[in-house]
Amino acid sequence: MTKYMLSVVGTVDDEMPSDEVMQEMYATVGRFNDKLTEAGKWVFGGGLAPIESSTTVDATGDKPTVTDGPFSEAKEFLGGFWIIEAADLDEALQWAKEGSAACGGAVEVRPFDDASQ
Amino acid sequence: MTALGADAVADVVRAEYGRVVAGLIRRFGDIQLAEDALGEALVIALERWPQDGVPPNPAGWLTTTAHRKALDHLRREKVRDEKYAEAAMLTDDTIPEPTGPVTDDRLRLIFTCCHPALAEPARVALTLRLLGGLTVAEIANAFLVPETTMAQRITRAKAKIAKARIPYRIPDQADIAERLEGVLAVLYLVYNEGYLSSSADNADRQDLAEEAIRLTRAVRSISSGIGSPPEVDGLLALMLLSQARRPARIAAGGSLVTLDEQDRTRWDADLIDEGHALVRECLRRNAPGPYQIQAAIQAVHTDALDASLTDWAQIAALYDQLMVLQPTPIVALNRAVAVAELDGPHVALAVVDGLKLTAYAPWHATRADLLRRLGREDDARRAYAAAIATTENPAERAWLASRRESLGGPTSRRGSRA
């Protein structure tokens, strides 16, 4: 088994969906999460609060700094993610297709490094 | 055992590469390890075989030797304990016999190499490297990119297969449906490299051409579960009808013989029959695609007992159909050859001149031929020179050079009283 991170990428231009749409999405993602858990593939996952709520900490210099906002100036940011266990990339891609349909966003599939597992 | 020169040994090795490496990848589940181990076995083979002779079963010898080398690697790298345990269970040295399409190591490997998670240029390159046994330099040459670029592309693809765990397994029906088009595209390119090699050492690579046909047959047999899409038959027919002309394609002196000058009695009648039957079946199913149309064009050519009997109107009509599906300058160039026969070289030249495929030898060669037929000998001579400069293939170069010679020198023409 390999751990894969399935990232849901958002952009700053994305419009905030209506409450109704959000509720519907929470429900489908919930069902998908249950399916992952039952299959024994679930490791962790969740949706993140809006990008404005992030804070960046950098302790690589002499003195740690704390800055308001995201690390990157990029227009894309992580909106949520799953970490799953899968036998191989084909299985991970299959879960990613379901996850993408459930959350209504593109999903990036990336394996964890062997050495970190 | 027969003693052979180093070149002949290299040929044997190249012909067996795909089969051996695919078997090693199945056993060890690690492309890099399989390639490294086979590389070491090849070094030993190149030292020993020229003196001792090639063993009766070279693929078996290479497999056994590489297998031992791979186990040595695993023993040295303690980190890979788990894999070592797996491999140790598989220490049988029997040669994997081809047992049909579904358990075919090379067929599994092509579905790994053609995985949609790999970029398309990487898919073709990996297939040519692993199944065709081509060197990185040869592949780079075939795609007109620097060797370092191609080396990086292949290394990156292999690293992705390992890190992202792209599986090496028999594809299921859903995979086949999803990946078939990509696999066919790669097989087509592998066949083309076999049909007319891009290297300076060989006119063609029969081992590659035959491997592409073998794999296409295997893909056809496993795709029967999804109703065997007609494009698979089309591709197979296209390959068979091209392959049928092989005995007449290269002259004794090593020069290419063009279609109009080939001795058609030397064409392979069995391959033509099989190809024509597939084309008829495609027509009956009436779901045309690019491979089927190209196969139909080959069928029209191979229907003519003499070049003068070729139905050029039919060929031009088929190219019109192909242009709708694949409006590329290369298709337009091939169509122009039919136009030259129907409407004359003057009309065709206007089309060809508009295409500007200046890095593509057939563009220069087609122009040269049209200019020759129009009596513009100096222009034709320059176009032949440009064609020769854009190809490495020795048979193509020899043919182009002889065509240029046949024009006579610029001064001799002027001085001629005839």
Side-chain angles (χ1 to χ4, degrees):
Chain A
M1 285 286 173
T2 300
K3 285 191 184 69
Y4 293 88
M5 175 146 162
L6 314 187
S7 315
V8 185
V9 185
T11 77
V12 286
D13 301 327
D14 288 349
E15 268 181 50
M16 198 64 182
S18 69
D19 260 6
E20 203 174 82
V21 173
M22 287 296 272
Q23 291 310 317
E24 175 65 30
M25 195 263 281
Y26 286 144
T28 33
V29 169
R31 283 194 293 277
F32 173 66
N33 291 346
D34 291 345
K35 193 174 165 187
L36 268 175
T37 310
E38 279 161 36
K41 306 295 178 181
W42 168 274
V43 178
F44 187 69
L48 299 173
I51 192 72
E52 296 78 34
S53 61
S54 68
T55 308
T56 302
V57 177
D58 185 354
T60 55
D62 293 340
K63 223 171 119 189
T65 59
V66 174
T67 323
D68 173 39
F71 169 73
S72 160
E73 302 268 325
K75 281 178 151 279
E76 291 84 24
F77 59 87
L78 190 65
F81 63 90
W82 292 274
I83 293 167
I84 66 164
E85 294 262 20
D88 56 36
L89 184 66
D90 282 353
E91 191 194 340
L93 294 179
Q94 202 53 48
W95 286 112
K97 283 177 197 164
E98 285 190 47
S100 169
C103 73
V107 170
E108 179 184 315
V109 179
R110 193 163 159 192
F112 277 75
D113 198 308
D114 270 345
S116 76
Q117 297 201 26
Chain B
M1 292 200 184
T2 34
L4 284 176
D7 282 356
V9 168
D11 283 347
V12 171
V13 161
R14 189 143 68 166
E16 303 292 355
Y17 192 94
R19 182 143 70 114
V20 175
V21 87
L24 291 166
I25 292 169
R26 173 174 53 73
R27 285 184 181 186
F28 294 98
D30 185 331
I31 293 175
Q32 198 58 54
L33 177 65
E35 278 203 295
D36 290 348
L38 182 52
E40 285 179 49
L42 294 180
V43 170
I44 300 172
L46 287 170
E47 276 169 16
R48 288 194 194 160
W49 293 0
Q51 289 156 29
D52 303 350
V54 174
N57 182 341
W61 187 93
L62 288 170
T63 301
T64 307
T65 310
H67 193 257
R68 288 203 195 103
K69 292 288 173 196
L71 289 174
D72 288 347
H73 273 281
L74 292 176
R75 275 185 210 109
R76 281 198 298 272
E77 292 173 43
K78 300 277 188 202
V79 201
R80 295 170 130 167
D81 275 351
E82 199 182 317
K83 279 184 188 163
Y84 175 61
E86 277 173 36
M89 288 185 283
L90 293 162
T91 44
D92 70 301
D93 286 342
T94 52
I95 309 121
E97 290 297 326
T99 49
V102 179
T103 53
D104 187 312
D105 290 331
R106 283 171 287 181
L107 190 57
R108 290 185 202 220
L109 188 54
I110 196 170
F111 273 87
T112 306
C113 292
C114 298
H115 198 280
L118 300 172
E120 192 166 54
R123 294 180 207 166
V124 185
L126 257 191
T127 305
L128 286 171
R129 173 78 200 102
L130 294 176
L131 286 155
L134 266 70
T135 63
V136 173
E138 286 171 328
I139 302 168
N141 195 30
F143 290 95
L144 310 170
V145 300
E147 194 175 334
T148 47
T149 309
M150 186 53 76
Q152 276 171 7
R153 190 179 289 173
I154 292 174
T155 306
R156 204 180 299 137
K158 286 194 286 198
K160 178 157 187 190
I161 290 172
K163 285 212 182 297
R165 292 201 194 277
I166 291 180
Y168 174 67
R169 63 175 166 78
I170 296 297
D172 60 28
Q173 297 300 343
D175 293 335
I176 293 170
E178 195 179 287
R179 298 192 208 158
L180 194 62
E181 200 183 320
V183 170
L184 296 184
V186 168
L187 289 173
Y188 176 67
L189 289 168
V190 173
Y191 182 81
N192 284 348
E193 179 59 22
Y195 180 78
L196 194 68
S197 164
S198 53
S199 81
D201 305 328
N202 302 83
D204 58 2
R205 287 277 315 271
Q206 276 313 297
D207 51 340
L208 273 188
E210 282 163 19
E211 180 67 3
I213 290 174
R214 197 190 70 80
L215 285 167
T216 306
R217 285 188 192 281
V219 167
R220 181 167 178 255
S221 120
I222 60 162
S223 66
S224 60
I226 54 163
S228 192
E231 277 292 87
V232 184
D233 286 9
L235 179 60
L236 181 59
L238 173 59
M239 289 178 180
L240 295 176
L241 294 174
S242 308
Q243 193 69 1
R245 301 196 313 263
R246 201 222 163 210
R249 265 186 74 226
I250 293 165
S255 172
L256 210 64
V257 183
T258 47
L259 197 49
D260 55 320
E261 291 181 343
Q262 288 175 11
D263 173 2
R264 299 187 174 213
T265 60
R266 296 181 65 198
W267 287 356
D268 187 321
D270 291 341
L271 290 179
I272 290 178
D273 285 349
E274 193 186 351
H276 282 190
L278 285 165
V279 169
R280 280 194 299 274
E281 179 61 16
C282 288
L283 290 172
R284 193 189 62 74
R285 293 173 73 175
N286 195 24
Y291 298 124
Q292 293 175 80
I293 296 170
Q294 290 178 76
I297 291 167
Q298 295 304 322
V300 175
H301 279 302
T302 45
D303 245 348
L305 295 175
D306 185 277
S308 64
L309 300 172
T310 307
D311 185 349
W312 287 106
Q314 180 67 29
I315 289 176
L318 287 163
Y319 273 121
D320 286 342
Q321 266 197 57
L322 190 56
M323 275 300 279
V324 174
L325 300 176
Q326 263 179 2
T328 69
I330 290 179
V331 174
L333 176 67
N334 290 325
R335 187 182 172 280
V337 174
V339 168
E341 299 298 328
L342 291 170
D343 303 330
H346 187 73
V347 180
L349 184 62
V351 175
V352 171
D353 278 344
L355 298 171
K356 299 271 181 284
L357 289 161
T358 49
Y360 188 56
W363 182 74
H364 291 290
T366 306
R367 271 195 84 232
D369 188 55
L370 295 170
L371 290 164
R372 180 185 62 79
R373 286 156 72 176
L374 289 166
R376 290 167 58 183
E377 296 205 348
D378 287 343
D379 291 335
R381 198 171 290 112
R382 274 192 291 275
Y384 279 121
I388 293 167
T390 38
T391 179
E392 296 275 319
N393 185 287
E396 212 175 7
R397 291 175 72 106
W399 164 65
L400 291 165
S402 75
R403 276 292 164 101
R404 187 174 56 173
E405 293 300 309
S406 74
L407 292 171
T411 45
S412 73
R413 189 173 60 93
R414 219 173 286 138
S416 162
R417 288 174 202 180

